[in-house]
Amino acid sequence: MSTVSSETFSNILLEQVREGVYLLTINRPKVLNALNEETLEEMNQALSIIITDKSARVLLIKGAGEKAFVAGADIEHMSHLSPIEGKAFAEHGMHLFRRLETLDIPVVALVNGYALGGGCELAMSCDFILASENAKFGQPEVNLGITPGFGGSQRLTRLVGRAMAMELLVTGRSMSADEAMRRGLVNHVYPLEELLDHGLKLASMIAGKSGSAIQLTKQLVQRGQDLDLDNACIMESDLFGLSFSTDDRTEGMAAFLENRAPNFS
Ligand code: CAA
């Protein structure tokens, strides 16, 4: 395991844990990994490092400690903000989470405890979520007299449907990992002590696949969900054609025909 540029970060850790696999840990356990401006900025810098590494294949995100993924935006920080500063803070988080969502490689949230407010919003900006049995998901902003600010009202509605999103948003109640899985927010639930291992195994499996095919597939899913079906299908045939221009296509099909495992570049 190697830590990348750790000296420049004080709120996160960025490690390359296996070939092509990055692990970003939000590292403010004393405040349950709450997100302040500095943490958002460091996450932005981490994404810039990952983007420039052409061998990067998967990003895993987790929280430090055993209690929380991220317990929300930092309430102490927000308590001093003016309305204009509040909007700027939301835009900062919104920009980062959109960048994460549209990163060329799959991003998997390992939700190891509370994922509330900005934490739930962060998890929902990842491609999918693996959770520990003690995970809790929710948007409790209503209890603070504010709305979600990092995309929670929009992504939660798209993921669990309008009626359930409204219930969660107006009551501020949190969901257990099992309920979140039943509602389609979480892919798998594991005992806390096994979560990272499962995340690493999955990441290694993805890292062995064709990077170019995965990049195009992510674009199809991300861009296609906001298109009508006709245009989404046109985009799929376009990118299908584009995938035929890659070395991975040559290798993948040759490997199949030669009855051997592919060795993607
Ligand atoms: N911001 C700042 N500090 C936080 C925090 C947050 N979101 N969540 C927890 N902390 C701090 C606590 O203040 C406490 O600090 P001290 O030890 O200095 O008192 C420490 O973390 C431990 O927390 P608790 O003692 O509260 O731990 P608990 O086990 O009793 O409760 C909890 C855990 C239920 C998660 C509770 O901490 C909590 O409700 N946190 C706030 C959750 C929340 O409201 N999140 C949404 C924030 S708003 C938002 O995110 C807006 C947006 O969309 C951008």
Side-chain angles (χ1 to χ4, degrees), residues 64-84:
E66 302 201 329
K67 201 169 161 183
F69 174 67
V70 167
D74 191 312
I75 300 170
E76 207 284 318
H77 169 68
M78 289 189 294
S79 69
H80 306 290
L81 300 182
S82 69
I84 298 288

Side-chain angles (χ1 to χ4, degrees), residues 30-32 34 67 71 73-75 78 117-118 121 140-141 144 148-150:
K30 284 194 180 135
V31 288
L32 305 187
K67 201 169 161 183
D74 191 312
I75 300 170
M78 289 189 294
E121 291 166 313
E141 287 87 348
L144 300 169
F150 295 166

Side-chain angles (χ1 to χ4, degrees), residues 28-35 67-68 70-78 89-90 93 97 114-121 138-144 146-153 174:
R28 303 184 75 214
K30 284 194 180 135
V31 288
L32 305 187
N33 305 318
L35 302 173
K67 201 169 161 183
V70 167
D74 191 312
I75 300 170
E76 207 284 318
H77 169 68
M78 289 189 294
F89 184 50
F97 289 7
Y114 291 109
L116 301 177
C120 190
E121 291 166 313
Q139 297 290 154
E141 287 87 348
V142 69
N143 297 328
L144 300 169
I146 58 172
T147 69
F150 295 166
S153 61
S174 49

Side-chain angles (χ1 to χ4, degrees), residues 237-252:
S237 10
D238 287 347
L239 295 198
F240 181 70
L242 186 59
S243 70
F244 279 61
S245 69
T246 62
D247 292 343
D248 281 358
R249 171 262 183 163
T250 310
E251 167 61 12

